[in-house]
Amino acid sequence: MQEAHIYKALGDPTRLEMLRRLSMQAGASIGELSAGLGMSRQGARKQLQVLVDANVVRLTQRGRQTEVVLAPEALAQAREFIARMERDWDARLGRLKQLLESDPGT
């Protein structure tokens, strides 16, 4: 289940902040994404690797710089998973409501 990897990757405040920053621009360097987060470049790279492994971001070498770009397909996949769960629960709750309202004992 790919969604589990995505949710695990999103379960860290540092990675969420990096994604928030990345969502405001087309691409960014590792230094730009990690600025002010109190971590080394190596630490930032480690955090980004979790996002890469979950296919949430892609890394591209541009000379000596590594550019990080958002991969919206993975986030769309996670969003669709939540939407399916929401539809299923709404249907179940609707059936429960009908059952309770049609019960002559209530």
Side-chain angles (χ1 to χ4, degrees):
M1 173 184 263
Q2 177 63 24
E3 293 89 359
H5 295 291
I6 296 167
Y7 295 127
K8 180 180 177 184
L10 299 178
D12 179 84
T14 300
R15 292 191 291 267
L16 281 176
E17 176 58 23
M18 290 175 152
L19 283 176
R20 187 192 66 74
R21 292 176 182 188
L22 195 54
S23 71
M24 293 192 266
Q25 51 198 38
S29 70
I30 293 174
E32 291 170 330
L33 290 178
S34 62
L37 295 179
M39 66 175 58
S40 66
R41 180 174 170 77
Q42 183 179 6
R45 181 71 180 210
K46 194 175 190 180
Q47 294 288 348
L48 285 169
Q49 189 60 50
V50 174
L51 296 171
V52 168
D53 292 345
N55 296 316
V56 176
V57 299
R58 291 194 251 325
L59 304 180
T60 307
Q61 286 299 127
R62 298 210 186 270
R64 294 184 62 204
Q65 288 279 354
T66 300
E67 183 180 43
V68 184
V69 293
L70 196 58
E73 311 84 36
L75 296 176
Q77 181 182 1
R79 187 173 41 251
E80 178 54 34
F81 177 77
I82 290 173
R84 273 193 318 269
M85 286 181 51
E86 184 178 27
R87 286 189 301 270
D88 290 347
W89 275 104
D90 285 347
R92 288 179 183 145
L93 290 172
R95 287 191 301 270
L96 178 61
K97 180 180 178 189
Q98 285 177 338
L99 178 65
L100 293 174
E101 289 174 348
S102 67
D103 185 4
T106 58

